[in-house]
Amino acid sequence: MRKGPLYWILFILIADCSAHAAGDENRIPALIPAPNKIEIHNGHFAITSRTVLLAEGEALPAARLLNHWLGLSGLDTLPIRSVSSPRTPFVAFSINSDTAEAYSLRIKPGSITLSGSVSGLLRGTSTLFQLLVSASGGKIPCLGIQDQPKFAYRGVHLDVCRHFMPKEFVLRYIDILALHKMNTFHWHLTEDQGWRIEIRRYPELTRKGAWRQGSMIGPYRDQRFDSIPHGGFYTQEEIREVVRYAQDRGITVIPEIEMPGHAMAALAAYPQYSCTGRVTEVARGWGVFDDVFCVNDSTFAFLEGVLTEVMELFPSRYIHIGGDECPKTRWKECPKCQATMKANGLRDEHELQSHFIRRIERFLNGAGRQIIGWDEILEGGLAPNATVMSWRGTEGGIAAARDSHQVVMTPGSHCYFDHYQGERNTEPLAIGGYTPLEKVYAYRPIPAELNANEARYIVGAQANVWTEYMYDTKQVEYMLLPRLCAFSEVLWTDTSLHNLNDFYSRLTPYQQVLKGWGLNYSTTWLLPDYRIEPGTRPGTLMFSLQSKVPQQLESAWGTPDTKPVFSSYTGPIALESNGTLYIRSNTSGTVKTQSFEFEFSKAAGATVTLEPEGDKAYRNPGSVLTDARIGSLPWTGKQWVGWLGKEPTITLDLGRSVRIDSVAITYLHDPVSWIHAPRACTASVDTRETRVETGIPANGIGRIVIPVDESIDKLFITVESIGKNPEGNAGAGEDGWIFISEIQVY
Ligand code: ACM
Ligand code: ZN
């Protein structure tokens, strides 16, 4: 039996009389994401062995979820009682008619009341759980929270194909999502490197397609492989369990079945659906492969069979059909594909891709579902009802929103959690990029280019976790957390309430919540920010630190001949000779050490002008070229300047006249990543020019040394590129990159 509102009001009033004086529990608790409205009152609720959870009917899943999470933290669960048997102290879960995911939470000295719709209660449970586990001495401050999400779509993706993740971990992942009030789990189930979902009609998909005979080891540019079979798949029973588990946490699971590209595993199992009929092996390396689904009726019949079983397993409105990175190479030469183009009056292979997606959309729409796909589904014309996931930047999302299509923003720059979250020498191998915690926190899903009407089509955003370089579940946790904490606040909390320093100050204690579940979260963000600036004299540098949270800092200087001895960091450090600077931070017992190697030349601290500036993610200030630090591998976003399809001119102003005999330019040569050594560099002093060709570069970091026997105060360096990526190389015929990390003069 449900009690009426009067009953509750009376009950709460009585309970209120036992209020105690407030202590330091008056502080705003460390909740993530921050609630949209919170008021802290005097007094506290004390959890004791007598505390009960009052819940019945539709409110039961929330109460059970709270207990499940308490159990995961190694804490005692609380008995669940029916609403008709209240006694203090209690935590009541109450269904109301609020919209969607809104909830309210009232904490009084003798009672806690959480109200909301079914999904609202689940979101509120995350708040309540965070309060319970961080309650000091079992005391939770009295407060009132009124909360609702900023964005309707709050997603996290997981690639279980590059590295298979066991079902138990997928369940844990869903708990992590729910803890952060996310509502969508995008399960990337098929790829070149493995097919992970049992399809009863086509048993070869998992018998053969779920296994590869080896994997790429180390960085992509090394192209090294082991021969250890890797694989695994989820049975239909396991998939049903995952979907139910997610439902109980208010999370929709969207399955992704990749087509027409990224299909090597399916084609190895059923080569008859490739253009050549000759695909034999599940891919071992990462990348984009020319073999894709052949566009003809038998392929459609096959895929419709697959999707029919997928729809039986997943009740989601959306089915993700991939659509990304589909080379047109095979289609151009395939008689079957060319016949499909002719029969349908299609002018080129982009229209064939569009035809493919539209046909799949018709099938899924006919079954009452909607398609969602990566932004390449815009190529050749968007399918009429499709939702677009904008990953190659924001352009695809902008175009789709202007075309009145729903959009989920997931640009690589901010939402790809496979990117590095710190500098290379602090981090395990990752795919590349540089997306530290503060960059995620600064993300705004609505592109500034959209007007208010167009912006309505941006339903939310998603973080993607591609696992090429995540070999196990611990590594996934490390890459996900705490970036998901920042991301959840981006999507849940109104932008007017965002404050990076406040977020940092909540994240420090919040780590205990993550620790309670035994999660392998990253603490890289605790490293202090550093600046390297010109020193007081030309040719010297000044190194300074700035903490994000209260912490002790120490520094030490080491050379091959001197051992580092740490002492307290008290302010900027002057640097003028080669060696290694060590920085040690201690944040409430979490100790981290960083090292910075310096290789000085007369150019250290020189003013650098770049014409043009670097491109996109590699547009760093010119000062990184004279900070006496040679870039490391794989490149991260901070140490290198990169130019795409351009030939930069670099101007060095040494600030005084200096006698020199040479200039050294440090570059990167990494052809598989479309980065090529310059063809040559020219140093110009007044009207005298000296040009030096690179010759045949080795892979990795290289140097061009130009003899310049002059007294100079200014120097111009022009960098010549080799032009487009050469034939036989990755991205042949497309613009390539030039990467420079340091200019030195001797
Ligand atoms: C993607 O990252 N290929 C969608
Ligand atoms: Zn074909």
Side-chain angles (χ1 to χ4, degrees):
M1 188 192 80
R2 286 190 62 188
K3 300 281 178 187
L6 187 61
Y7 173 87
W8 284 112
I9 290 166
L10 272 176
F11 196 81
I12 289 161
L13 280 174
I14 293 162
D16 230 351
C17 296
S18 63
H20 297 290
D24 77 338
E25 67 265 25
N26 254 18
R27 285 186 306 119
I28 303 266
L31 296 169
I32 291 178
N36 282 288
K37 189 158 173 238
I38 180 165
E39 283 173 7
I40 307 292
H41 303 300
N42 285 340
H44 63 260
F45 177 96
I47 312 153
T48 69
S49 57
R50 293 193 309 123
T51 307
V52 296
L53 306 182
L54 303 182
E56 54 192 34
E58 289 187 303
L60 271 172
R64 291 196 186 118
L65 182 60
L66 181 67
N67 268 341
H68 180 71
W69 286 352
L70 290 172
L72 283 184
S73 301
L75 298 169
D76 288 339
T77 57
L78 299 167
I80 299 178
R81 300 263 187 272
S82 73
V83 177
S84 56
S85 59
R87 53 197 155 98
T88 51
F90 68 85
V91 180
F93 293 77
S94 159
I95 294 283
N96 67 18
S97 57
D98 268 1
T99 49
E101 298 174 283
Y103 71 93
S104 73
L105 179 66
R106 292 165 63 86
I107 300 185
K108 303 208 162 205
S111 69
I112 295 180
T113 310
L114 176 62
S115 332
S117 65
V118 174
S119 51
L121 284 187
L122 293 167
R123 302 301 163 242
T125 297
S126 140
T127 306
L128 184 55
F129 169 73
Q130 293 182 22
L131 289 167
L132 284 177
V133 292
S134 53
S136 82
K139 292 176 178 175
I140 308 177
C142 287
L143 53 76
I145 290 178
Q146 253 340 111
D147 209 5
Q148 68 291 315
K150 179 168 167 59
F151 286 99
Y153 184 107
R154 304 183 306 283
V156 183
H157 145 292
L158 180 64
D159 165 16
V160 292
C161 302
R162 270 52 178 264
H163 286 99
F164 180 68
M165 301 290 156
K167 180 203 75 184
E168 289 68 28
F169 178 72
V170 176
L171 301 181
R172 180 176 168 89
Y173 199 76
I174 287 168
D175 276 313
I176 300 168
L177 268 52
L179 176 64
H180 294 91
K181 299 186 169 63
M182 306 304 279
N183 65 5
T184 307
F185 170 47
H186 170 170
W187 202 1
H188 184 80
L189 285 163
T190 76
E191 253 305 336
D192 297 309
Q193 298 82 6
W195 183 280
R196 307 277 176 240
I197 170 175
E198 179 191 15
I199 300 294
R200 298 207 168 135
R201 281 177 177 75
Y202 305 115
E204 290 299 302
L205 283 172
T206 42
R207 201 193 63 76
K208 175 148 200 215
W211 298 92
R212 62 174 181 262
Q213 296 315 310
S215 303
M216 189 180 271
I217 48 173
Y220 183 79
R221 67 171 181 281
D222 290 357
Q223 293 288 307
R224 286 191 302 133
F225 296 86
D226 65 23
S227 49
I228 304 166
H230 177 94
F233 67 94
Y234 310 100
T235 64
Q236 296 207 343
E237 220 26 72
E238 289 175 317
I239 287 185
R240 286 204 170 88
E241 183 187 341
V242 168
V243 169
R244 258 196 318 272
Y245 194 89
Q247 258 165 0
D248 287 345
R249 284 150 182 78
I251 290 181
T252 303
V253 186
I254 297 182
E256 180 179 355
I257 307 297
E258 272 268 18
M259 59 189 81
H262 286 295
M264 290 285 282
L267 297 176
Y270 293 94
Q272 61 268 43
Y273 304 121
S274 68
C275 290
T276 63
R278 287 198 297 272
V279 179
T280 54
E281 218 199 330
V282 176
R284 296 188 300 149
W286 325 130
V288 172
F289 296 84
D290 284 343
D291 285 302
V292 301
F293 282 115
C294 180
V295 193
N296 67 65
D297 284 343
S298 72
T299 304
F300 286 118
F302 166 77
L303 288 171
E304 286 171 11
V306 169
L307 290 169
T308 299
E309 289 190 35
V310 167
M311 286 189 284
E312 284 160 14
L313 295 169
F314 293 93
S316 60
R317 195 164 95 87
Y318 288 116
I319 304 291
H320 200 302
I321 47 81
D324 60 319
E325 298 180 320
C326 178
K328 313 296 184 279
T329 320
R330 294 282 183 265
W331 292 354
K332 284 186 180 150
E333 284 158 15
C334 169
K336 285 183 276 186
C337 288
Q338 292 299 318
T340 303
M341 281 172 61
K342 195 154 177 232
N344 292 278
L346 307 173
R347 280 171 302 185
D348 61 21
E349 287 73 19
H350 292 294
E351 289 192 3
L352 186 59
Q353 154 119 351
S354 173
H355 168 82
F356 185 104
I357 302 292
R358 282 169 199 256
R359 177 141 174 194
I360 295 292
E361 178 180 71
R362 271 202 305 281
F363 175 73
L364 289 171
N365 284 172
R369 307 300 180 96
Q370 296 292 331
I371 66 162
I372 189 163
W374 303 111
D375 56 51
E376 287 93 331
I377 65 171
L378 285 151
E379 283 173 15
L382 195 51
N385 305 311
T387 295
V388 172
M389 260 185 192
S390 185
W391 74 280
R392 295 177 301 174
T394 55
E395 294 82 358
I398 292 168
R402 290 192 170 140
D403 203 15
S404 306
H405 284 260
Q406 294 209 324
V407 174
V408 173
M409 295 304 295
T410 181
S413 56
H414 294 77
C415 301
Y416 269 46
F417 289 1
D418 54 345
H419 287 185
Y420 282 98
Q421 58 193 311
E423 288 195 59
R424 173 63 191 135
N425 60 357
T426 67
E427 293 302 308
L429 179 65
I431 200 163
Y434 180 59
T435 308
L437 185 65
E438 62 268 26
K439 187 166 180 192
V440 176
Y441 194 77
Y443 181 54
R444 300 288 171 261
I446 309 266
E449 293 89 336
L450 296 183
N451 66 33
N453 190 42
E454 293 160 346
R456 288 187 302 119
Y457 290 98
I458 310 292
V459 292
Q462 177 171 293
N464 293 336
V465 181
W466 301 100
T467 57
E468 284 95 331
Y469 298 90
M470 297 181 212
Y471 305 101
D472 57 26
T473 61
K474 287 287 156 210
Q475 188 61 12
V476 172
E477 292 176 6
Y478 179 85
M479 299 303 276
L480 182 68
L481 296 165
R483 288 189 283 196
L484 177 61
C485 303
F487 197 61
S488 73
E489 196 149 309
V490 168
L491 292 178
W492 180 273
T493 309
D494 199 80
T495 315
S496 65
L497 299 172
H498 285 207
N499 177 320
L500 183 61
N501 284 327
D502 178 61
F503 173 71
Y504 285 150
S505 72
R506 280 178 284 123
L507 185 56
T508 309
Y510 182 79
Q511 291 179 131
Q512 292 306 314
V513 177
L514 304 177
K515 197 171 190 168
W517 284 5
L519 291 165
N520 183 38
Y521 55 89
S522 165
T523 55
T524 297
W525 70 279
L526 289 172
L527 293 171
D529 286 330
Y530 67 87
R531 285 169 71 122
I532 302 171
E533 292 164 294
T536 46
R537 282 181 295 111
T540 69
L541 295 168
M542 194 65 93
F543 182 97
S544 58
L545 293 170
Q546 177 133 44
S547 291
K548 298 165 194 160
V549 290
Q551 61 186 183
Q552 277 114 40
L553 295 176
E554 293 173 303
S555 67
W557 182 251
T559 65
D561 310 320
T562 55
K563 269 181 78 96
V565 180
F566 280 94
S567 63
S568 217
Y569 170 87
T570 50
I573 300 169
L575 300 174
E576 56 182 31
S577 57
N578 294 356
T580 306
L581 178 65
Y582 298 89
I583 299 296
R584 193 156 69 189
S585 63
N586 183 332
T587 319
S588 314
T590 303
V591 176
K592 300 188 74 71
T593 306
Q594 250 174 312
S595 62
F596 301 86
E597 271 179 44
F598 289 92
E599 187 181 312
F600 273 78
S601 79
K602 290 168 181 164
T607 306
V608 177
T609 316
L610 304 174
E611 181 52 45
E613 300 233 51
D615 280 276
K616 278 195 181 161
Y618 305 103
R619 181 174 301 154
N620 280 312
S623 55
V624 304
L625 304 190
T626 53
D627 63 1
R629 298 183 69 218
I630 310 290
S632 54
L633 284 183
W635 64 92
T636 61
K638 253 177 146 177
Q639 298 182 353
W640 297 85
V641 181
W643 291 266
L644 182 62
K646 302 194 182 85
E647 300 192 311
T649 299
I650 301 167
T651 307
L652 232 59
D653 184 344
L654 300 175
R656 81 283 193 205
S657 180
V658 185
R659 181 81 208 171
I660 69 165
D661 54 38
S662 63
V663 184
I665 296 123
T666 305
Y667 63 81
L668 181 61
H669 185 62
D670 187 5
V672 292
S673 308
W674 302 24
I675 301 169
H676 292 271
R679 176 185 304 285
C681 287
T682 302
S684 319
V685 182
D686 300 328
T687 54
R688 293 178 295 285
E689 295 189 342
T690 317
R691 180 173 179 275
V692 170
E693 295 202 354
T694 312
I696 297 171
N699 281 359
I701 295 171
R703 242 179 195 194
I704 299 174
V705 179
I706 308 176
V708 180
D709 191 5
E710 302 262 3
S711 281
I712 60 161
D713 57 358
K714 268 203 175 136
L715 180 67
F716 301 90
I717 298 158
T718 47
V719 185
E720 284 169 55
S721 84
I722 57 158
K724 309 275 184 197
N725 296 317
E727 259 333 291
N729 281 264
E734 307 267 355
D735 282 339
W737 287 87
I738 283 178
F739 264 58
I740 305 285
S741 88
E742 195 69 11
I743 310 279
Q744 293 162 306
V745 297
Y746 293 98

